[in-house]
Amino acid sequence: MSEESMQIAAAMVLASLAGGAQGAGKATLCEPQEKIIMACHAKGKTYALCASATLTPASGYLQYRAGTAAGIEFAYPARREPPAGRFRLEHHTAGAISLVFTNGGYTYAIGETAGGMNSIYVDRNGQRVARIACQGGTGDGILGNDNLDLLRAGGIDPD
């Protein structure tokens, strides 16, 4: 391979890496400056929890998003607002945890096991209407690294 060919190949690799970084943000539905709490794929869609770098009960935001590479189809809350009073944490057996919110008569629970497996449960009037088993996750999850502390700092307290 000539030196010129090597330079072209290197430029192509760098361009693809730069494109991959942009694509990664779209694949998670989170923006580059946001903290990805969790993002996964199922049924042709992406589901994500995106947060500002810092949270307090009165500042920052946490937002659940669902959509495709073409755009966000559902976001809760609709505007980026402080999370206190909008979300709650529920602890379950064997170290599992759920981040729960209610919107439009539906209750959403983003569940995570101690092993890092995520599922999203949607209930209406106490009846399960959907269970979305996540595949190929990104982010550290609700229990990962400092995420649980970040959520608690935002006023999201466990049950």
Side-chain angles (χ1 to χ4, degrees), residues 126-137:
Q127 298 293 317
R128 175 88 9 106
V129 296
R131 178 185 177 271
I132 302 162
C134 291
Q135 306 292 317

Side-chain angles (χ1 to χ4, degrees), residues 58-130:
S59 67
Y61 62 90
L62 174 69
Q63 196 173 50
Y64 169 79
R65 299 174 186 156
T68 65
I72 296 169
E73 298 169 0
F74 173 70
Y76 177 85
R79 287 179 300 212
R80 296 176 183 180
E81 302 171 328
R86 291 176 175 76
F87 296 91
R88 71 180 185 277
L89 289 170
E90 294 180 354
H91 290 272
H92 307 285
T93 59
I97 194 167
S98 294
L99 183 71
V100 180
F101 66 92
T102 301
N103 183 59
Y106 291 89
T107 300
Y108 297 77
I110 297 95
E112 180 178 324
T113 66
M117 296 297 293
N118 291 319
S119 291
I120 301 165
Y121 302 92
V122 183
D123 294 346
R124 182 174 180 134
N125 300 324
Q127 298 293 317
R128 175 88 9 106
V129 296

Side-chain angles (χ1 to χ4, degrees), residues 14-61:
L14 288 173
S16 71
L17 289 174
Q22 276 185 329
K26 290 189 185 292
T28 66
L29 301 179
C30 297
E31 296 174 6
Q33 75 278 8
E34 293 177 320
K35 181 162 183 58
I36 303 166
I37 304 292
M38 179 281 302
C40 68
H41 310 282
K43 301 182 180 185
K45 296 195 184 280
T46 299
Y47 302 88
L49 286 171
C50 308
S52 56
T54 58
L55 288 176
T56 72
S59 67
Y61 62 90

